[in-house]
């Protein structure tokens, strides 16, 4: 299996790199070059494509909304998932197993299956077309994976730490906040990055619950639709796609070692 899967994995990785590189080069061409010479290097880099895409699509508001959602959902998910994962992994009680399975089952529920009840609930609360309403949806849908992910980290910590803290007179809340939680910082950081990557490009819930407000993915979608009616400026369109994709690539390159370390530590326990 290793000899079969490794070439496949490398092939997929190289293909992804090729697509990203081709997209970045196309964003620096003129539309004529994109159509007539799609595989050639740009004769003269058209950096103005990024400025035109940013102003034409009004990416500024979308970026601000997405940054608010990504930051808020990441912190909110960690704030709720970390204590839940700690209790489920460190305290043995009758319902700890079923509750853990309940969170795991939540990983398999598709978004369209819960869209209507969520919409009705947000509508009654007056949270349709609000960043706060979409933030609640992101946190709620992120919780099953987050609890399941962090449970592995807390389960891997030695019980002697809690016993030593109890001997020193530390209660469970202080033990969690001062000892156990800091030891899972690699897992918390990995979880935050994974949630940021997922929420940054999320489109389904944003399209369902936002009307006037736009995330960066909805801004790009509207930009593509506008291009269909005003004339496809492919180079500017590729520049808009790069505006959405490049921040995620930079985040991953910056934190890749921490992300891989956190995932390996969690799933390797």
């Amino acid at each position: 299996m290793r000899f079969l899967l490794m070439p496949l994995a490398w092939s997929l990785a190289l293909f992804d790199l090729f697509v990203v590189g081709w997209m970045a080069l196309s964003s620096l061409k003129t539309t004529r070059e994109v159509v007539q010479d799609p595989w050639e290097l740009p004769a003269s880099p058209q950096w103005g494509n990024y400025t035109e895409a940013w102003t034409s699509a009004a990416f500024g508001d979308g970026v601000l909304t997405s940054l608010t959602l990504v930051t808020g959902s990441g912190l909110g998910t960690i704030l709720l998932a970390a204590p839940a994962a700690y209790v489920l992994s460190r305290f043995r009680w009758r319902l700890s197993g079923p509750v853990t399975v309940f969170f795991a089952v939540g990983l398999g529920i598709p978004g369209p299956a819960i869209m209507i009840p969520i919409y009705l609930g947000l509508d009654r609360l007056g949270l349709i077309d609000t960043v706060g309403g979409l933030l609640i949806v992101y946190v709620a849908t992120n919780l099953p994976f987050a609890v399941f992910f962090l449970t592995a980290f807390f389960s891997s910590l030695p019980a002697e730490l809690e016993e030593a803290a109890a001997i020193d007179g530390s209660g469970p809340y202080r033990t969690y906040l001062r000892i156990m939680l800091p030891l899972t910082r690699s897992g918390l950081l990995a979880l935050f990055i994974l949630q940021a990557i997922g929420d940054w490009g999320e489109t389904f819930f944003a399209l369902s619950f936002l009307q006037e407000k736009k995330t960066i993915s909805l801004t790009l979608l509207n930009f593509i639709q506008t291009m269909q009616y005003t004339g496809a400026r492919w180079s500017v369109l590729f520049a808009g796609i790069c505006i959405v994709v490049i921040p995620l690539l930079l985040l991953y390159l910056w934190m890749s070692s921490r992300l891989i370390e956190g995932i390996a530590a969690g799933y390797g326990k």
Side-chain angles (χ1 to χ4, degrees), residues 160-171 175:
E160 288 79 6
L161 295 173
E162 294 166 300
E163 295 173 356
I167 293 175
D168 291 337
S170 178
T175 301

Side-chain angles (χ1 to χ4, degrees), residues 229-258:
Y229 296 100
T230 61
R233 293 169 293 169
W234 293 107
S235 56
V236 180
L237 180 58
F238 281 122
I241 297 174
C242 287
I243 291 174
V244 177
V245 174
I246 287 177
L248 294 182
L249 293 178
L250 295 178
L251 176 64
Y252 179 81
L253 292 175
W254 180 40
M255 304 298 295
S256 59
S257 59
R258 294 290 185 89

Side-chain angles (χ1 to χ4, degrees), residues 95-171:
L95 297 178
S96 61
V99 172
T100 303
V101 174
F102 175 78
F103 279 106
V105 170
L107 295 172
I109 300 177
I114 58 176
M115 190 273 290
I116 294 178
I118 292 178
Y119 186 92
L120 294 176
L122 293 180
D123 184 52
R124 292 181 179 180
L125 294 174
L127 295 177
I128 296 296
D129 196 28
T130 63
V131 177
L134 188 58
L135 180 61
I136 294 174
V137 174
Y138 283 175
V139 172
T141 54
N142 289 340
L143 273 178
F145 172 77
V147 172
F148 186 75
F149 184 78
L150 292 179
T151 299
F153 282 88
F154 286 112
S155 298
S156 66
L157 299 177
E160 288 79 6
L161 295 173
E162 294 166 300
E163 295 173 356
I167 293 175
D168 291 337
S170 178

Side-chain angles (χ1 to χ4, degrees), residues 61-112:
D61 294 337
V63 169
L64 181 61
T65 302
S66 291
L67 284 176
T68 302
L69 288 169
V70 166
T71 304
S73 64
L75 295 178
T77 301
I78 291 175
L79 184 64
L80 295 176
Y86 176 68
V87 171
L88 292 174
S89 61
R90 310 302 294 188
F91 295 92
R92 299 303 174 186
W93 48 297
R94 182 181 303 175
L95 297 178
S96 61
V99 172
T100 303
V101 174
F102 175 78
F103 279 106
V105 170
L107 295 172
I109 300 177

Side-chain angles (χ1 to χ4, degrees), residues 14 26 76 194:
L14 292 175
S26 297
L194 291 173

Side-chain angles (χ1 to χ4, degrees), residues 65-66 69 115 119 122 128-130 133-134 137-138 199-223 225:
T65 302
S66 291
L69 288 169
M115 190 273 290
Y119 186 92
L122 293 180
I128 296 296
D129 196 28
T130 63
L134 188 58
V137 174
Y138 283 175
D199 293 340
W200 179 263
E202 198 281 326
T203 304
F204 177 76
F205 287 121
L207 187 62
S208 302
F209 302 133
L210 294 183
Q211 299 169 359
E212 297 296 331
K213 299 182 180 298
K214 303 296 180 185
T215 62
I216 191 170
S217 60
L218 294 185
T219 302
L220 178 61
L221 180 61
N222 290 341
F223 187 43
Q225 294 174 344

Side-chain angles (χ1 to χ4, degrees), residues 187-202:
L188 298 177
L189 182 59
L191 177 62
F192 184 87
I193 296 173
L194 291 173
Q195 302 301 333
I197 292 174
D199 293 340
W200 179 263
E202 198 281 326

